[in-house]
């Protein structure tokens, strides 16, 4: 018998999509039965009280979590999101309901052995509920009490060799697409870069020293499977400099209908026979492709590497061999002065372990933003306030047409004093000798 | 409930403390076929909805079965995932950037058993535990947030509306009939955690009333200048108010300048804003992050308000389903929703979808708003 009646939430148990309500209920039941005979370190009925408070929110249309919450572990300034229920007497099981962020492995590959060991810790010391995963990438352990935080931290560091993720005004947990592990489009080893950068900047991740949060994301190619361009202040996106490799026999196999376009991604509908001209040549954004009926050619100099032709004919077209990445900066959500995607800063950078060229760009940006950024100002907003020119200057990038979608159309142009003959220090009496008042 | 120590000694908190070890090395977790062929993949194919094969230059193959997941999941569920991985995949698995789960096998003969096992598992309430799908030109999982399960600033829930939407579009999780993939994301407030601002369809929780001011606590709980600086429209200013016979430092809000973003509440607990009948959701469409054909795009607001309707948000799900159907019927192959709307013109988008165009949809935020108006005589009647 459930502790609270949840008539509204019960309606979310039907339908085909996996029901979080059914899952929370199964966890509540499992804890009530306690087949392993655990001495649960937080209330056994924590998941039931979560359903209870959620049902109350479904009745009120309002959240029942108190504002904020500042908890953590010694040595770190972040990693745990404190949370307290605003009806602790009705729902004592979630009076404390803190979230622990754990740093996930690159590409989110796991073994069952590792996940089971994690579940064993969380079963005993937490609610038994998780998010797999948080939007930034962390393993999210959802709901525990303050006295358990150090115990959990001790267990994950000593027994799982795993650290907390980031929260607060610091480097947040980096994330990557699966990259070379299982994709033929990957232009660099995103997993290695994510792992390397996370380890290199552990101090910046665990102890907030920034004006505001800062995120890294690493995409292997411009398809953006981890959405670096939209969801990270520092977005590294793989690309290549030389020609797309063309297998003409495989192109013919696509034209003949032997290979399915886009690897079969549209097979749920009859789109007719594959039409190379209509589906590839005419959709190329820079009109860089020609097909003479026997041979496909790509004008390398006009190609903007959008991935469309490669995505459409993965067995015939391959990324080039001269590989690296572009660095774009400044993506953020709307608060405060509007959403931003990242803007191109370094068109091409080497992306080989130990990734020193990329680290140099990061550290130059941090040196500048940590000094100049205002309280709670994301890098993208600092760029808007102090200009892209300033960011290029601190990163040692010469201005390049690739840095803009279009040149400015207002004439409010700043010059550096040294660019102007004679400088800015002028004498009005000299001027008056030529121009009477 | 007796306290069980992990070994941590609260009397000597820094003793034996391990810090700055970061995540586990991903190489510890790669399935053998992945570790062997990393960086040497030749091509891939989508064999059917939810099932991929990657072929390496060595000729090795890895078959992947992608299954939906609720993201919010129990350790019981994770253990069941582990059990499946042990039974079919040598104990290996991974999660995707849209919070689906992927099971991999290195031989086609292992595929049928894995698929049948996954498809057979259901929760007590009847929903699928591991629906196979989410590949190609269909609708994959919904990137979403905490909602009323854990957060203090939401204007709506996350897990509930996501379940309601996915039930409505479920057939397209298991099919690939769209012109291009349709990414749906949901955020429960304007902080837009996740991907709402860059998705084909974004759902965002919004408020419609200015915050209340807990004058008695304002200068006790808040750093007032931070609250002032938190307002995008400068509606917040410091003031003095009298409570009984006491004069206190507090906050004043110009209601006519406030657009209810809730950011001042994020900074100051004395400014609660949530409201059962005022709060609801808006729908954005047309965003994308990939650089394929067109450049990445922000999503644009096309429905300014839909009420919260617990537990299944029928008005919301119906509108989303309708937008998807009109897009699917009209867009060209490979055309993302935003590319389609841009090509036909937004007036045509509103005509075809039948969505009402209201004054709320016209941008009025600072200088950039001008660039969203129409400086042209080109339009369709």
């Amino acid at each position: 018998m459930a502790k609270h009646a949840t008539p509204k939430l019960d309606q979310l148990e039907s339908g085909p999509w996996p029901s979080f309500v059914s899952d929370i209920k199964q966890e509540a039941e499992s804890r009530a039965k306690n087949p392993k005979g655990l001495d649960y370190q937080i209330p056994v009925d924590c998941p039931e009280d979560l359903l209870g408070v959620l049902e109350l929110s479904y009745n009120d249309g309002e959240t029942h979590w108190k504002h904020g919450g500042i908890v953590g572990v010694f040595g770190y300034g972040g990693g745990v999101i404190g949370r307290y229920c605003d009806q602790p007497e009705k729902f004592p099981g979630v009076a404390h309901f803190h979230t622990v962020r754990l740093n996930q492995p690159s590409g989110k590959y796991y073994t069952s052995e590792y996940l089971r060991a994690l579940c064993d810790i969380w079963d005993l010391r937490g609610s038994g509920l998780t998010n797999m995963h948080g939007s930034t990438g962390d393993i999210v352990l959802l709901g525990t009490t303050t006295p358990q935080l150090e115990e959990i931290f001790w267990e994950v560091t000593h027994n799982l060799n795993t650290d907390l993720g980031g929260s607060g005004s610091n480097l947040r947990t980096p994330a990557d697409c699966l990259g070379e592990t299982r994709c033929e489009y990957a232009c660099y080893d995103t997993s290695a870069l994510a792992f390397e950068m996370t380890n290199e900047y552990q101090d910046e991740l665990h102890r907030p020293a920034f004006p505001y949060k800062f995120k890294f994301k690493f995409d292997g190619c411009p398809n953006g499977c981890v959405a670096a361009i939209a969801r990270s202040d520092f977005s590294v996106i793989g690309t290549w400099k030389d020609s797309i490799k063309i297998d003409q026999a495989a192109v013919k196999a696509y034209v003949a209908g032997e290979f399915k376009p886009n690897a079969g991604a549209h097979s749920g509908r009859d789109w007719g026979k594959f039409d190379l001209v209509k589906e590839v040549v005419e959709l190329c954004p820079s009109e860089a492709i020609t097909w003479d009926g026997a041979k496909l050619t790509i004008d390398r100099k006009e190609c903007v590497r959008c991935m469309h032709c490669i995505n459409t004919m993965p067995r015939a077209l391959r990324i080039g061999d001269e590989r690296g990445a572009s660095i774009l900066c400044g993506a953020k959500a709307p608060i405060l002065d509007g959403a931003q995607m990242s803007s191109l800063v370094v068109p091409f950078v080497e992306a080989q372990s130990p990734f020193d060229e990329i680290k140099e760009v990061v550290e130059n940006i941090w040196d500048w933003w940590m000094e100049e950024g205002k309280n709670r100002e994301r890098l993208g907003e600092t760029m808007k306030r102090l200009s892209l020119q300033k960011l290029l200057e601190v990163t040692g990038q010469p201005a390049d047409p690739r840095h803009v979608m279009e040149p400015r159309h207002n004439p409010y142009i700043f010059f550096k004093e040294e660019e102007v003959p004679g400088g800015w220090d002028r004498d009005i009496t000299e001027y008056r000798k030529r121009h009477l008042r | 409930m007796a306290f069980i120590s992990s070994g941590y000694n609260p009397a000597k908190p820094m003793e034996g403390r391990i810090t700055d070890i970061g995540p586990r090395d991903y190489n510890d977790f790669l399935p053998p076929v992945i570790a062997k062929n990393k960086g040497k993949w030749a091509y891939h194919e989508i064999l059917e909805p939810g099932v991929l094969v990657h072929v390496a230059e060595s000729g090795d193959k890895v078959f992947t079965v992608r299954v939906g997941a609720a993201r919010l999941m129990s350790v019981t569920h994770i253990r069941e995932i582990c059990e499946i991985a042990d039974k079919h995949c040598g104990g290996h698995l991974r999660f995707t950037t849209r919070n689906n789960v992927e099971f991999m096998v290195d031989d086609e003969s292992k595929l049928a058993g894995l698929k049948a096992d996954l498809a057979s598992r259901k929760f007590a309430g009847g929903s699928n535990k591991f629906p196979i799908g989410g590949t190609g030109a269909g609708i994959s999982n919904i990137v979403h947030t905490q909602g009323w399960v854990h957060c203090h600033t939401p204007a709506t829930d996350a897990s509930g509306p996501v379940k309601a939407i996915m039930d409505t579009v479920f057939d397209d999780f298991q099919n690939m009939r769209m012109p291009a993939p349709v990414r749906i994301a949901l955020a429960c407030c304007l902080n837009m955690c996740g991907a709402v601002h860059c998705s084909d369809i974004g759902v965002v929780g919004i408020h419609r009333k200015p915050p209340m001011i807990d004058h008695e606590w304002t200068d006790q709980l808040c750093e007032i200048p931070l609250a002032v600086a938190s307002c995008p429209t400068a509606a917040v200013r410091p003031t003095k108010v009298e409570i009984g016979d006491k004069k206190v430092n507090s906050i004043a809000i110009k209601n006519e300048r406030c657009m209810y973003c809730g950011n001042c509440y994020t900074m100051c607990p004395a400014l609660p804003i949530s409201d059962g009948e005022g709060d609801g959701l808006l729908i954005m469409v047309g965003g994308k992050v990939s650089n394929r054909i067109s450049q990445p795009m922000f999503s644009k607001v096309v429905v300014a308000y839909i009420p919260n309707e617990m537990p299944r948000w029928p008005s919301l799900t119906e509108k989303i389903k309708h937008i998807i159907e009109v897009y699917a019927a009209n867009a060209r192959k490979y055309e993302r929703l935003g590319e389609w709307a841009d090509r036909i013109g937004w007036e045509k988008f509103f005509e075809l979808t039948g969505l009402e165009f209201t004054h709320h949809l016209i941008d009025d935020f600072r200088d950039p708003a001008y660039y969203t108006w129409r400086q042209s005589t080109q339009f369709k009647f």
Side-chain angles (χ1 to χ4, degrees):
Chain A
M1 178 67 194
K3 186 175 169 190
H4 308 283
T6 55
K8 287 205 165 74
L9 291 176
D10 293 350
Q11 295 175 51
L12 289 169
E13 289 202 83
S14 57
W17 186 251
S19 168
F20 69 100
V21 176
S22 298
D23 190 14
I24 297 174
K25 284 187 178 179
Q26 91 173 355
E27 192 59 29
E29 256 175 61
S30 163
R31 284 172 76 92
K33 280 190 201 145
N34 192 7
K36 291 182 183 170
L38 296 178
D39 197 350
Y40 290 115
Q41 296 293 290
I42 76 163
V44 177
D45 54 5
C46 174
E48 297 209 54
D49 275 353
L50 180 67
L51 287 174
V53 77
L54 191 57
E55 180 78 14
L56 183 64
S57 282
Y58 273 50
N59 287 323
D60 295 344
E62 295 169 359
T63 186
H64 279 287
W65 302 103
K66 289 186 188 181
H67 184 281
I70 302 175
V71 292
V73 298
F74 284 119
Y76 289 177
V80 185
I81 316 302
R83 199 66 79 215
Y84 302 92
C85 183
D86 72 3
Q87 297 291 332
E89 282 173 13
K90 274 193 210 159
F91 307 104
V94 292
H96 291 218
F97 197 65
H98 312 322
T99 277
V100 180
R101 290 183 180 163
L102 285 192
N103 203 153
Q104 83 291 356
S106 294
K108 302 190 181 91
Y109 284 89
Y110 295 103
T111 58
S112 54
E113 183 194 3
Y114 177 82
L115 286 180
R116 277 209 188 85
L118 178 61
C119 289
D120 288 346
I121 295 171
W122 191 235
D123 220 357
L124 178 69
R125 303 191 178 279
S127 65
L129 304 176
T130 76
N131 289 155
M132 298 296 281
H133 296 70
S135 292
T136 300
D138 300 279
I139 300 166
V140 170
L141 304 178
L142 191 66
T144 191
T145 60
T146 308
Q148 286 303 311
L149 296 176
E150 289 288 1
E151 308 297 329
I152 292 162
F153 182 60
W154 183 277
E155 291 219 38
V156 296
T157 51
H158 285 76
N159 306 331
L160 278 187
N161 190 20
T162 299
D163 208 333
L164 299 189
S167 69
S169 290
N170 58 8
L171 174 64
R172 299 295 184 84
T173 311
D176 60 320
C177 73
L178 55 61
E180 292 185 350
T181 62
R182 208 194 61 205
C183 182
E184 67 272 22
Y185 304 155
C187 301
Y188 69 95
D189 189 345
T190 57
S191 318
L193 180 60
F195 189 56
E196 172 68 25
M197 297 291 271
T198 310
N199 284 316
E200 178 79 16
Y201 300 115
Q202 281 289 291
D203 189 26
E204 286 78 2
L205 192 155
H206 294 301
R207 299 167 196 88
F210 291 169
Y212 203 6
K213 67 177 93 167
F214 194 98
K215 300 186 183 188
F216 290 154
K217 278 191 167 57
F218 307 119
D219 270 315
C221 83
N223 280 329
C225 290
V226 77
I229 203 167
R231 299 169 67 180
S232 61
D233 302 79
F234 189 88
S235 322
V236 181
I237 302 175
T239 193
W240 64 95
K241 263 185 163 171
D242 54 346
S243 305
I244 289 175
K245 290 181 281 189
I246 306 172
D247 176 344
Q248 299 291 349
V251 173
K252 289 195 182 95
Y254 277 103
V255 173
E258 287 162 39
F259 294 163
K260 288 180 286 185
N262 215 133
H266 296 78
S267 59
R269 196 199 296 194
D270 182 6
W271 292 92
K273 190 177 172 298
F274 177 63
D275 182 337
L276 178 60
V277 172
K278 203 170 129 215
E279 296 186 36
V280 179
V281 177
E282 289 178 359
L283 290 182
C284 172
S286 52
E287 300 179 16
I289 309 179
T290 46
W291 166 248
D292 65 6
K295 192 173 174 222
L296 189 84
T297 44
I298 300 177
D299 183 348
R300 174 175 77 86
K301 292 200 162 131
E302 294 303 312
C303 172
V304 294
R305 302 169 317 287
C306 81
M307 296 296 297
H308 175 64
C309 61
I310 296 176
N311 286 339
T312 308
M313 301 194 290
R315 297 183 71 162
L317 304 178
R318 304 285 302 275
I319 58 170
D321 288 327
E322 200 185 328
R323 298 172 194 171
S326 304
I327 298 175
L328 298 88
C329 292
K332 59 178 283 290
I335 302 284
L336 204 61
D337 66 358
Q340 292 186 45
M341 303 259 188
S342 281
S343 301
L344 185 66
V345 174
V346 185
F348 188 85
V349 66
E350 294 295 324
Q352 300 281 339
S353 181
F355 306 104
D356 288 336
E357 293 85 351
I358 293 172
K359 288 176 191 167
E360 191 187 337
V361 180
V362 167
E363 289 169 22
N364 283 333
I365 290 173
W366 283 350
D367 281 348
W368 173 64
W369 177 64
M370 287 172 73
E371 203 62 41
E372 298 290 338
K374 291 200 211 178
N375 183 34
R376 289 179 68 85
E377 185 180 61
R378 292 288 286 267
L379 175 66
E381 290 166 332
T382 309
M383 289 162 63
K384 276 168 89 171
R385 183 168 59 84
L386 297 180
S387 79
L388 178 63
Q389 286 91 325
K390 195 68 203 174
L391 183 73
L392 296 179
E393 195 181 306
V394 301
T395 51
Q397 293 292 310
D400 183 301
R402 293 168 192 85
H403 285 132
V404 294
M405 289 298 302
E406 59 182 26
R408 69 195 302 157
H409 54 78
N410 67 66
Y412 305 155
I413 302 170
F414 291 99
F415 285 87
K416 292 189 164 85
E417 188 176 2
E418 60 270 23
E419 289 179 307
V420 189
W424 292 346
D425 194 7
R426 292 188 289 161
D427 183 354
I428 185 71
T429 55
E430 284 300 313
Y431 180 81
R432 284 297 166 215
K433 286 178 189 165
R434 303 188 302 277
H435 305 282
L436 296 180
R437 193 171 287 116
Chain B
M1 191 164 74
F3 180 77
I4 300 174
S5 171
S6 61
Y8 167 68
N9 179 0
K12 293 181 176 172
M14 304 314 279
E15 193 176 274
R17 176 169 299 263
I18 296 173
T19 67
D20 301 280
I21 56 174
R24 280 286 292 269
D25 187 336
Y26 59 97
N27 288 299
D28 296 350
F29 300 132
L30 299 180
V33 63
I34 296 282
K36 180 183 165 203
N37 296 290
K38 180 168 177 249
K40 292 174 225 152
W41 297 103
Y43 67 92
H44 75 284
E45 277 181 67
I46 305 174
L47 299 175
E48 59 186 91
V51 183
L52 308 163
V53 60
H54 288 79
V55 182
E57 280 152 14
S58 65
D60 286 354
K61 292 180 178 180
V62 61
F63 297 85
T64 301
V65 181
R66 183 176 297 169
V67 301
R71 191 180 86 108
L72 166 51
M73 62 175 70
S74 69
V75 294
T76 301
H77 193 67
I78 296 173
R79 287 188 177 118
E80 189 165 346
I81 291 171
C82 292
E83 176 211 321
I84 294 166
D86 283 347
K87 199 163 143 194
H88 301 277
C89 314
H92 293 273
L93 66 127
R94 69 174 294 271
F95 289 79
T96 71
T97 57
R98 300 193 74 82
N99 306 310
N100 294 306
V101 186
E102 289 183 343
F103 296 98
M104 289 153 284
V105 293
D106 56 11
D107 194 300
E108 196 159 11
S109 65
K110 300 174 186 168
L111 205 50
L114 170 62
K115 278 164 42 187
D117 189 355
L118 289 166
S120 71
R121 295 178 188 241
K122 311 228 183 231
F123 283 109
S127 66
N128 294 289
K129 280 181 174 170
F130 304 105
I132 298 168
T135 55
I139 300 178
S140 190
N141 209 340
I142 299 181
V143 168
H144 66 275
T145 53
Q146 296 292 33
W148 296 327
V149 167
H150 196 263
C151 192
H152 58 149
T153 68
T156 188
D157 189 34
S159 304
V162 161
K163 161 76 174 151
I165 297 167
M166 283 310 295
D167 280 342
T168 309
V169 303
F170 185 74
D171 288 348
D172 285 310
F173 180 79
Q174 300 201 304
N175 198 337
M176 304 189 289
R177 64 165 181 124
M178 291 288 139
V182 178
R183 305 293 187 218
I184 308 177
L186 180 144
C188 34
C189 81
L190 298 199
N191 280 335
M192 290 196 189
C193 297
V196 157
H197 64 302
C198 56
S199 296
D200 297 277
I201 297 180
V203 179
V204 186
I206 59 159
H207 307 288
R208 295 186 302 160
K209 301 181 185 184
M212 294 164 280
I213 305 172
D214 204 345
H215 289 294
E216 204 177 330
W217 288 96
T218 312
D219 78 337
Q220 305 289 307
L221 289 178
C222 312
E223 209 168 317
I224 291 173
L226 288 186
V228 172
S230 75
C231 182
T233 56
V236 179
R237 62 191 157 86
T239 191
K240 288 189 189 299
V241 294
E242 281 185 34
I243 305 174
D245 55 354
K246 233 176 41 181
K247 216 170 194 184
V248 296
N249 293 321
S250 187
I251 279 171
I253 294 176
K254 275 191 186 162
N255 283 346
E256 67 280 12
R257 286 183 78 119
C258 173
M259 43 65 186
Y260 343 108
C261 72
N263 197 40
C264 57
Y265 177 58
T266 299
M267 300 307 297
C268 171
L271 299 172
I273 190 169
S274 72
D275 189 282
E277 55 188 15
D279 296 349
L281 320 100
L282 60 74
I283 299 180
M284 311 176 79
V285 307
K288 67 188 271 275
V289 298
S290 93
N291 291 272
R292 185 176 189 172
I293 304 175
S294 63
Q295 294 170 8
M297 299 175 182
F298 288 117
S299 17
K300 274 76 66 175
V301 181
V302 295
V303 180
Y305 176 74
I306 297 172
N308 278 322
E309 297 168 322
M310 289 68 79
R312 281 203 159 266
W313 282 266
S315 305
L316 172 71
T317 55
E318 186 197 330
K319 279 214 158 56
I320 288 175
K321 176 81 175 158
H322 179 64
I323 292 168
I324 289 167
E325 289 305 332
V326 176
Y327 157 73
N330 286 276
R332 296 171 180 166
K333 193 177 180 187
Y334 306 110
E335 199 168 47
R336 293 287 290 264
L337 200 156
E339 295 171 322
W340 165 65
D342 274 355
R343 174 172 61 80
I344 63 173
W346 285 90
E347 67 270 41
K348 199 78 188 174
F349 170 86
F350 281 95
E351 183 188 316
L352 289 173
T353 55
L355 295 176
E356 186 190 359
F357 189 88
T358 65
H359 70 89
H360 312 99
L361 307 182
I362 300 174
D363 196 351
D364 53 8
F365 184 62
R366 299 188 187 170
D367 253 25
Y370 162 82
Y371 298 99
T372 67
W373 308 338
R374 192 174 303 234
Q375 292 89 30
S376 168
T377 58
Q378 294 186 14
F379 60 85
K380 295 176 183 173
F381 285 105

